[in-house]
Amino acid sequence: MLSNPLGNVLGKPPLGFLPLDPIGSDLPEKFSTPSLRNSRSLLDSRSSSPSDSDTSGFSSGSDHLSDLISSLRISPPLPFLPLSGVSRDPLKMGVGSQLDQDQAALAAVTSSPASASKRWPGASAWPSWDLLDSPEDPFNIEREARLHRQAAAVNEATCTWSGQLPPRNYKNPVYSCKVFLGGVPWDITEAGLINTFRVFGSLSVEWPGKDGKHPRCPPKGYVYLVFESEKSVRALLQACSQDLLSPDGLSEYYFKMSSRRMRCKEVQVIPWVLADSNFVRSPSQRLDPSKTVFVGALHGMLNAEALAAVMYDLFGGVVYAGIDTDKHKYPIGSGRVTFNNQRSYLKAVTAAFVEIKTTKFTKKVQIDPYLEDSMCQVCNAQPGPFFCRDQICFKYFCRSCWHWQHSMEVLRHHRPLMRNQKNRDSS
């Protein structure tokens, strides 16, 4: 069961990124992040960064990533709004003459059944469910929503944050029972992993990308170890050598292991401290889902306090940040940020793609509105699982209303958002 800190507070399941298999380790851009001088890096031969594992929203991709990228269509970056007196009502968002033109075009379609029937084959001006689900329809709304979740992979950042992350000071940390193991020997087997690490306690192996039909398939440079007890994680860390990274106080842990063809291979162990999952800047502030954004494609080393610091520096007004975790309370590569004002919220949504540069990594994250359960805001008669983030619309749609409104040429480029169905089913 996926754990969503903000969802627990708000009582709503999250918008999520589909977990995908990581981009192949042969891609050089996986190892392009800067490192501290005189310190070991995540990027050397011993490790695969968790940013390229399934803890990352876009990094963990499909085996057909090239097909996905080639087929991805995404709205261009949104311009910043004049943010004084902003309302989420599209008629009050100050988008000027373009909005007037679009509304006029919409009125022309809605007032003319003939014009609608030209766009939608058949006698009815309102598109039927059979038509909308037709395989001949080149626009598949669910497919477009899924593609949007990986948009950070192919879109340029609109702004960049560069700096030093807040220091981490742990007195008595409590760890997740799951740890990331990077840079494992290429010929390692699951039995070999269990045999090596069972001295610390009972465990199982999560092997991303391993096909059950091909049990001898080598890992993609990393695996996850899931221990039955948190004490086992502590024992493992005590057996590791450490590199102390200043000035953020973060330690890197390394463990030597062997396989049939490799001896004393140094692999990196990356634990997760449970306290890093939530950060509250203003405890008395009520968390408002309408001022909350979803942040995807997070680096595995970014905790909630660091995420809050980045968003506060860029947009201001941050009152809460949370990192989404799985049933083992280990990060899954996404999070939430709540603001205390509409201006900061809209600035974050408008930014869409932000590049975060630190001394240890550079990562581009994706920002979208936090989605709730809602009725369609056009017909008010059906559930509205599809959200249009373009500022002309900025509302929830049912399937019929989405196709009906976005059949117009001026709105056809808009891309839908959906909550991750997998996350909803797991919540």
Side-chain angles (χ1 to χ4, degrees), residues 157-163 310 314 353-358 362-363:
T158 59
C159 58
T160 298
W161 181 93
S162 179
V310 171
L314 290 175
F353 305 102
V354 172
E355 187 173 61
I356 300 175
K357 290 184 176 182
T358 74
T362 297
K363 194 73 163 64

Side-chain angles (χ1 to χ4, degrees), residues 233-254:
V233 176
R234 291 176 178 271
L236 170 59
L237 297 180
Q238 289 176 358
C240 292
S241 60
Q242 290 189 52
D243 280 346
L244 296 178
L245 303 179
S246 59
D248 60 6
L250 180 66
S251 295
E252 285 188 345
Y253 297 93
Y254 293 93

Side-chain angles (χ1 to χ4, degrees), residues 132-147:
L132 298 177
D133 291 333
S134 169
E136 286 79 17
D137 181 9
F139 182 91
N140 181 292
I141 192 167
E142 285 86 359
R143 182 190 66 233
E144 296 292 334
R146 287 194 298 269
L147 291 175

Side-chain angles (χ1 to χ4, degrees), residues 142-380:
E142 285 86 359
R143 182 190 66 233
E144 296 292 334
R146 287 194 298 269
L147 291 175
H148 177 80
R149 294 175 188 140
Q150 288 85 45
V154 293
N155 282 267
E156 295 296 326
T158 59
C159 58
T160 298
W161 181 93
S162 179
Q164 178 181 315
L165 297 178
R168 303 187 189 188
N169 298 310
Y170 304 123
K171 292 183 178 179
N172 295 298
V174 177
Y175 296 97
S176 166
C177 291
K178 181 176 178 179
V179 298
F180 175 92
L181 199 66
V184 298
W186 66 270
D187 63 332
I188 195 65
T189 63
E190 185 170 331
L193 288 166
I194 293 177
N195 185 61
T196 299
F197 292 97
R198 67 183 177 184
V199 295
F200 304 108
S202 299
L203 76 153
S204 60
V205 177
E206 288 187 4
W207 198 317
K210 182 177 179 180
D211 189 342
K213 298 179 182 179
H214 303 87
R216 294 185 179 275
C217 176
K220 298 186 177 182
Y222 66 93
V223 297
Y224 294 95
L225 305 180
V226 182
F227 291 94
E228 291 185 0
S229 170
E230 190 257 355
K231 293 181 180 179
S232 300
V233 176
R234 291 176 178 271
L236 170 59
L237 297 180
Q238 289 176 358
C240 292
S241 60
Q242 290 189 52
D243 280 346
L244 296 178
L245 303 179
S246 59
D248 60 6
L250 180 66
S251 295
E252 285 188 345
Y253 297 93
Y254 293 93
F255 184 84
K256 290 184 178 180
M257 64 174 298
S258 299
S259 62
R260 289 185 61 186
R261 301 185 183 182
M262 300 187 73
R263 291 290 178 264
C264 295
K265 174 73 164 65
E266 203 167 34
V267 299
Q268 186 172 14
V269 178
I270 303 180
W272 180 255
V273 178
L274 300 187
D276 282 341
S277 298
N278 292 279
F279 178 77
V280 180
R281 182 180 292 273
S282 302
S284 61
Q285 182 78 33
R286 184 179 69 88
L287 301 183
D288 186 351
S290 69
K291 296 184 180 70
T292 299
V293 296
F294 172 86
V295 187
L298 292 178
H299 192 280
M301 296 177 67
L302 199 69
N303 65 4
E305 183 179 5
L307 177 61
V310 171
M311 295 294 113
Y312 184 84
D313 286 348
L314 290 175
F315 312 117
V318 172
V319 295
Y320 167 82
I323 304 296
D324 297 330
T325 58
D326 61 14
K327 63 182 180 180
H328 304 293
K329 300 183 180 180
Y330 199 88
I332 61 172
S334 61
R336 307 282 180 291
V337 176
T338 301
F339 300 93
N340 61 11
N341 65 88
Q342 190 80 350
R343 177 186 178 89
S344 295
Y345 166 77
L346 288 176
K347 285 174 66 178
V349 170
T350 301
F353 305 102
V354 172
E355 187 173 61
I356 300 175
K357 290 184 176 182
T358 74
T359 54
K360 286 302 295 179
F361 65 85
T362 297
K363 194 73 163 64
K364 183 168 51 181
V365 302
Q366 180 171 337
I367 303 175
D368 284 306
Y370 175 83
L371 301 188
E372 302 181 89
D373 286 328
S374 174
M375 296 297 290
C376 173
Q377 294 175 302
V378 176
C379 68
N380 293 311

